[in-house]
Every structure is written in structure tokens, then in C-alpha cells.
């Protein structure tokens, strides 16, 4: 038998090609019995839809644009890996871009994706409310847009993330219970999740009557995780040492900072966890192999990717008016693993 297509299925089952096409697309116009005959035959003969033929007919591609701040971040890399595997099962292909936290680069990526006529866009914005008008126009006029991870954004669409303030509250509280009350918070400057994570840290201090110290909130300004910001961090902690205000615990608010801080502290001859306990957000599988093993808050990338596609694909296929829809925010549960770096 040659290559199985809609025409050959129609001939074998004595149906019209239009009926087969509608059955394969789960049309309400086709009887359930007919659908099952078509689907059973297609499965038995390993039928695969032709995405390019579908594009010519409908104007859609099978491409999904994914716009993220950094491809080198363990969290974003893991998310894309999970998304890629799941998208393939639905016959979609990913087109990823990194913005390096730049609104300008983000807009260029979005413009390119629209020119490619992508079926949908998944984005973790460069920063809070970056390219809001552009994203709104895309979502309403071109293709559906879904936000993940950095969801403090004015675009009205589905948003998938974690309860950032709650997660930082819990780990800060745990450090306080272990007797650490001089706790610093490391965060990326102008990064979308910073406000929520900082709020959780501050709430934990407040609940335990620990004064908030502005010098303990350390904003690291970087455009790429690969940048050498170690010297900047080292200078900050040197100043704290010199003023006798060295923290005895650190909460890392980003992937990059959570990993880098161990090396910075080692360079200052500070022992972890004896002198300074460390915990942070990161999805690296190397956490157990760092010296010492790093306590981490890990985001549920597989669950995030699955939910993202579960929400996006119906938006792509139904082609409803997205401007007047009611959307939800989904806050998933992160997993905290306490290792040697907080073994106080």
C-alpha cells in the first residue's frame, strides 16, 4: 500500500474525502460511528496528517512560537524540552527565541513570529508589561498568546506560574526557624517575578518581627545568565563584611543567582552553611553535585508545559473571539528540596 492520505482512506471506506477530513478533525457534523471507523482505519495504517497541506487550506502553520528571556537558564531550558516533547505529539513544532530581558529584542521576535504566521505564542515576558500593546494586538487579531512563569503582566490571557510570594515566604520562614535572622534576598533587576518573590521574603520577616533591611535586598543587573556577574556580587558581599553586616542566610530569587552565589561565597572564604545558609530558585539537576549540595525551589516544568498546551491548542483550533473571553491564572505548586547548603 502506498502512502496513506485522506483520499486513500475515503476510497477504502467508501466515503467522501470531505467526510474523512471532518471525521479526523472531530467535526460535530459527522456521526460518532463514522468517526470511529475513520479513526480506527487511520490508526491501523499509521496515517499522519500533512501540516503543510493544512496550512495551505486554513492559513495556519503548525508552528508555535516560544519567547523566553534566556535559553541558557536551567528552568527555561527544561520547560522548552518538556514543551517540545508534548507539542510533537500534537503535530506542532516549536520556534524558540530568547530576549535577554530586552523589550526591543522581544518585539523583534514577536514581529518575526507573526511574519511566519505561527499558530500560537507562549511567552515569559522580558519584564513586567513589556510590549503590552503588541501582545494584545497579536492575541486579538493574529494568534492566541499564553503567558508562563512571569505572569505579572497586563495582557488578558491565560497565565501559568507558581505562587512566588508563598514559595519565598516558606523558605525564608524555614531559615528563620533554623535561627537565621540576617537573611539577604538576591534578585534580578527588573525581572518579572522579583516583586512577588520579594514580597514573600518581606512577609516572612514581618511575621517573625525581624526588621526589613534595605541593604539585604541585592539587585543584580544582568542581561544573560552567562554574564560574569560574580565580581559584582563579590563586591556587594565584601562591603557587607566590612561593615559587619554580613548576612547569615541568603535566598536566591533567580536561577542564575542561586547557582552563582556558592562560588562567590567560596571566593570570600565563607563556609556554606556554617557561615551563610543558601537556598534558591533553580531547576538544575546538578544541585546535588554542587559543593555543598544546594537547597532549591524547583518549578514544575512538566506540569507547566502540559497545562500550557492544554490551554493553547483549543484556542488555536476553535478560532473564537479571544477579546471577550474570560481567562484564568493558574498557580502551580513548586517543590522545595533542602540539602547541605541549609543543613544548619
Amino acid at each position: 500500500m502506498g502512502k496513506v492520505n485522506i483520499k486513500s482512506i475515503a476510497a477504502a471506506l467508501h466515503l467522501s474525502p470531505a467526510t474523512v477530513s471532518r471525521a479526523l478533525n472531530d467535526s460535530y457534523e459527522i456521526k460518532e460511528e463514522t468517526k470511529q471507523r475513520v479513526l480506527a482505519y487511520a490508526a491501523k495504517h499509521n496515517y499522519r496528517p500533512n501540516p503543510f497541506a493544512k496550512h495551505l487550506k486554513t492559513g495556519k502553520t503548525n508552528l508555535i512560537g516560544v519567547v523566553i528571556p534566556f535559553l541558557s537558564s536551567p528552568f527555561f531550558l527544561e520547560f522548552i524540552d518538556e514543551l517540545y516533547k508534548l507539542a510533537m505529539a500534537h503535530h506542532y513544532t516549536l520556534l524558540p527565541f530568547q530576549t535577554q530581558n530586552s523589550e526591543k529584542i522581544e518585539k523583534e521576535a514577536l514581529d518575526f513570529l507573526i511574519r511566519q504566521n505561527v499558530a500560537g505564542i507562549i511567552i515569559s515576558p522580558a519584564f513586567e508589561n513589556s510590549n503590552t500593546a503588541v501582545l494584545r494586538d497579536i492575541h486579538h487579531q493574529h494568534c492566541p498568546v499564553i503567558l508562563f512563569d512571569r505572569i505579572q503582566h497586563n495582557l488578558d490571557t491565560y497565565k501559568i506560574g507558581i505562587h512566588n510570594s508563598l514559595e519565598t515566604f516558606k523558605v525564608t520562614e524555614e531559615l528563620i526557624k533554623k535561627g537565621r535572622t540576617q537573611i539577604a534576598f538576591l534578585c534580578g533587576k527588573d525581572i518579572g517575578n522579583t516583586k512577588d518573590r520579594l514580597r514573600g521574603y518581606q512577609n516572612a520577616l514581618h511575621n517573625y518581627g525581624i526588621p526589613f533591611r534595605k541593604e539585604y535586598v541585592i539587585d543584580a543587573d544582568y542581561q544573560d545568565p552567562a554574564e560574569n556577574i560574580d565580581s559584582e556580587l563579590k563586591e556587594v558581599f565584601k562591603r557587607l563584611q566590612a561593615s559587619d553586616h554580613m548576612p547569615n542566610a541568603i535566598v536566591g530569587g533567580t536561577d542564575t543567582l542561586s547557582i552563582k552565589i556558592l562560588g562567590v561565597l567560596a571566593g570570600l572564604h565563607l563556609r556554606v552553611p556554617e557561615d551563610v545558609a543558601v537556598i534558591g530558585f533553580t531547576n538544575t539537576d546538578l544541585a546535588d553535585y554542587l559543593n555543598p549540595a544546594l537547597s532549591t525551589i524547583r518549578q514544575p516544568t512538566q506540569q507547566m508545559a502540559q497545562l500550557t498546551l492544554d490551554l493553547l491548542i483549543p484556542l488555536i483550533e476553535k478560532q473564537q473571539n479571544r477579546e471577550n473571553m474570560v481567562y484564568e491564572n493558574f498557580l502551580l505548586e513548586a517543590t522545595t528540596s533542602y540539602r547541605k547548603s541549609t543543613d544548619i
Side-chain angles (χ1 to χ4, degrees):
M1 180 183 284
K3 185 176 180 182
V4 179
N5 54 36
I6 287 175
K7 287 185 178 179
S8 67
I9 295 173
L13 298 179
H14 306 291
L15 299 168
S16 72
T19 297
V20 171
S21 176
R22 292 189 184 108
L24 290 169
N25 286 287
D26 196 24
S27 171
Y28 69 91
E29 299 172 297
I30 305 301
K31 291 180 181 178
E32 189 61 31
E33 180 186 350
T34 305
K35 283 183 190 177
Q36 293 308 316
R37 283 180 61 210
V38 171
L39 292 172
Y41 186 93
K44 181 178 178 181
H45 294 88
N46 298 314
Y47 167 74
R48 294 288 182 271
N50 183 340
F52 299 104
K54 186 177 181 181
H55 170 44
L56 290 173
K57 183 178 178 181
T58 66
K60 299 178 188 175
T61 67
N62 67 327
L63 297 173
I64 294 175
V66 185
V67 183
I68 58 172
F70 311 117
L71 282 167
S72 53
S73 159
F75 164 70
F76 289 119
L77 200 57
E78 191 175 283
F79 176 82
I80 283 185
D81 183 57
E82 295 287 353
L83 195 65
Y84 178 79
K85 289 182 285 189
L86 293 165
M88 281 189 66
H90 292 277
H91 310 293
Y92 284 95
T93 300
L94 303 187
L95 198 54
F97 280 87
Q98 68 171 357
T99 64
Q100 296 181 311
N101 278 337
S102 163
E103 186 174 26
K104 180 176 180 291
I105 296 174
E106 182 178 82
K107 184 177 185 303
E108 290 170 356
L110 293 170
D111 288 344
F112 178 84
L113 290 171
I114 292 306
R115 290 198 299 273
Q116 301 310 304
N117 202 23
V118 294
I121 293 174
I122 299 165
I123 182 170
S124 183
F127 54 84
E128 191 173 334
N129 293 329
S130 61
N131 288 304
T132 302
V134 175
L135 285 166
R136 186 178 293 118
D137 179 68
I138 291 171
H139 185 56
H140 292 166
Q141 305 299 328
H142 297 278
C143 68
V145 179
I146 287 184
L147 271 62
F148 81 101
D149 183 47
R150 301 179 178 184
I151 59 176
Q152 298 305 316
H153 194 282
N154 281 340
L155 181 67
D156 190 19
T157 185
Y158 291 121
K159 300 173 183 178
I160 301 146
I162 63 169
H163 202 317
N164 283 289
S165 60
L166 177 62
E167 299 301 336
T168 48
F169 177 93
K170 289 192 297 188
V171 298
T172 306
E173 180 180 55
E174 184 66 19
L175 290 169
I176 294 169
K177 287 179 178 179
K178 288 178 178 287
R180 303 294 171 116
T181 57
Q182 297 168 262
I183 305 170
F185 181 74
L186 282 180
C187 52
K189 191 174 183 181
D190 296 325
I191 289 178
N193 288 326
T194 292
K195 285 183 181 178
D196 280 347
R197 293 178 180 178
L198 179 60
R199 184 169 66 251
Y201 158 81
Q202 289 177 303
N203 286 344
L205 297 180
H206 176 77
N207 276 18
Y208 284 84
I210 300 169
F212 171 73
R213 299 169 67 165
K214 191 175 180 181
E215 70 268 27
Y216 278 177
V217 177
I218 300 161
D219 283 309
D221 190 4
Y222 61 94
Q223 295 300 308
D224 191 303
E227 280 184 28
N228 183 11
I229 60 172
D230 297 40
S231 56
E232 177 190 342
L233 293 174
K234 194 171 182 178
E235 284 304 310
V236 170
F237 285 104
K238 266 187 177 179
R239 289 197 298 271
L240 290 170
Q241 269 187 318
S243 62
D244 200 27
H245 290 148
M246 187 67 196
N248 56 20
I250 295 171
V251 175
T254 74
D255 242 345
T256 301
L257 298 173
S258 300
I259 296 170
K260 284 182 175 290
I261 194 58
L262 292 179
V264 170
L265 294 174
L268 293 171
H269 307 291
L270 290 164
R271 298 167 302 160
V272 176
E274 292 86 355
D275 299 320
V276 186
V278 177
I279 188 167
F281 285 85
T282 182
N283 276 51
T284 179
D285 290 326
L286 299 176
D288 273 314
Y289 303 100
L290 297 172
N291 187 21
L294 179 64
S295 295
T296 58
I297 306 160
R298 189 180 190 113
Q299 299 190 67
T301 51
Q302 197 281 333
Q303 193 181 354
M304 273 187 177
Q306 182 69 67
L307 181 56
T308 300
L309 279 185
D310 286 348
L311 295 169
L312 180 64
I313 289 174
L315 288 179
I316 291 172
E317 295 181 347
K318 290 179 182 177
Q319 289 295 297
Q320 66 266 59
N321 183 342
R322 293 184 291 273
E323 191 169 352
N324 298 317
M325 285 183 62
V326 177
Y327 298 99
E328 292 181 62
N329 287 4
F330 296 88
L331 299 179
L332 308 181
E333 188 174 351
T335 303
T336 301
S337 298
Y338 292 99
R339 301 184 177 90
K340 181 65 178 176
S341 69
T342 52
D343 186 15
I344 308 162

